[in-house]
Amino acid sequence: MRHGGKVLATTAVLAGLVASGPAVQASEDPGCAAGVRFTSNYTEAASGLRVMSVEVANCGAEALQLNGYPQVSLFDGEQQPLDVAILEGTGGITILPGFNDPPQPITVQPGETAASAFVWRNTNTSLEPPQVAKHVELATAPGAVQQPLIAVLPQRSIHIDLGSTGRMGVRAWYR
């Protein structure tokens, strides 16, 4: 019976770890060192078109002023930068309501959030391997500190499958 108790205790601990999500997510959390946290919680996919939601949370003590586009860097699974054009708006990739709206000044108070989004096609018309970003770094504006984009449930990981297109559109910050 002693071994059965150990098995049950181990099973309970493992179940608790699974229920709380992957431990790697917590270690990737930048802890709001720069006063902001970037997250993505879903990617919509249809006929090769992809749209990923992005949110910035102000976890600092001061109001955050946004007026423009997130500054985005894409990296492969080995943390090597991808040669990808980051476009303001859809860049002709598709037509999406609101995606090409011009930037507007937004004040994000501590504890509040603002949103953006990425759009791309995963078309591959090359014999070369497709480009896939597994890590994204963002900044709120040019010159601001870049931090990792954290995938939250249900997504759990970053997967931007650009194929051979070499470009991704970014929506201006909005509410």
Side-chain angles (χ1 to χ4, degrees), residues 2-87:
R2 289 169 120 168
H3 294 296
K6 287 182 184 177
V7 170
L8 286 176
T10 302
T11 303
V13 169
L14 289 175
L17 288 173
V18 169
S20 66
V24 77
Q25 276 186 273
S27 67
E28 289 177 357
D29 186 341
C32 282
V36 296
R37 177 181 292 124
F38 300 104
T39 57
S40 175
N41 61 6
Y42 71 91
T43 300
E44 293 181 20
S47 302
L49 182 68
R50 308 284 192 256
V51 179
M52 177 184 281
S53 71
V54 175
E55 185 175 85
V56 60
N58 181 353
C59 47
E62 309 264 327
L64 173 65
Q65 303 298 321
L66 299 174
N67 188 7
Y69 296 86
Q71 303 302 295
V72 182
S73 298
L74 302 177
F75 301 88
D76 66 15
E78 283 76 47
Q79 300 289 330
Q80 296 301 308
L82 293 178
D83 184 18
V84 175
I86 305 298
L87 312 168

Side-chain angles (χ1 to χ4, degrees), residues 87-114:
L87 312 168
E88 294 180 349
T90 62
I93 294 170
T94 191
I95 297 172
L96 292 171
F99 217 93
N100 289 317
D101 290 352
Q104 300 292 320
I106 299 171
T107 300
V108 184
Q109 297 296 332
E112 294 182 344
T113 62

Side-chain angles (χ1 to χ4, degrees), residues 84-173:
V84 175
I86 305 298
L87 312 168
E88 294 180 349
T90 62
I93 294 170
T94 191
I95 297 172
L96 292 171
F99 217 93
N100 289 317
D101 290 352
Q104 300 292 320
I106 299 171
T107 300
V108 184
Q109 297 296 332
E112 294 182 344
T113 62
S116 179
F118 303 155
V119 64
W120 71 93
R121 290 200 180 273
N122 75 336
T123 308
N124 193 10
T125 59
S126 171
L127 296 176
E128 297 296 317
Q131 289 187 312
V132 178
K134 296 287 189 176
H135 179 78
V136 177
E137 291 194 2
L138 295 166
T140 55
V145 175
Q146 284 204 325
Q147 294 180 190
L149 177 64
I150 301 166
V152 295
L153 297 175
Q155 194 165 294
R156 296 188 187 245
S157 66
I158 301 295
H159 185 84
I160 299 176
D161 53 344
L162 295 160
S164 61
T165 63
R167 60 193 187 133
M168 182 178 80
V170 178
R171 184 174 180 175
W173 293 115

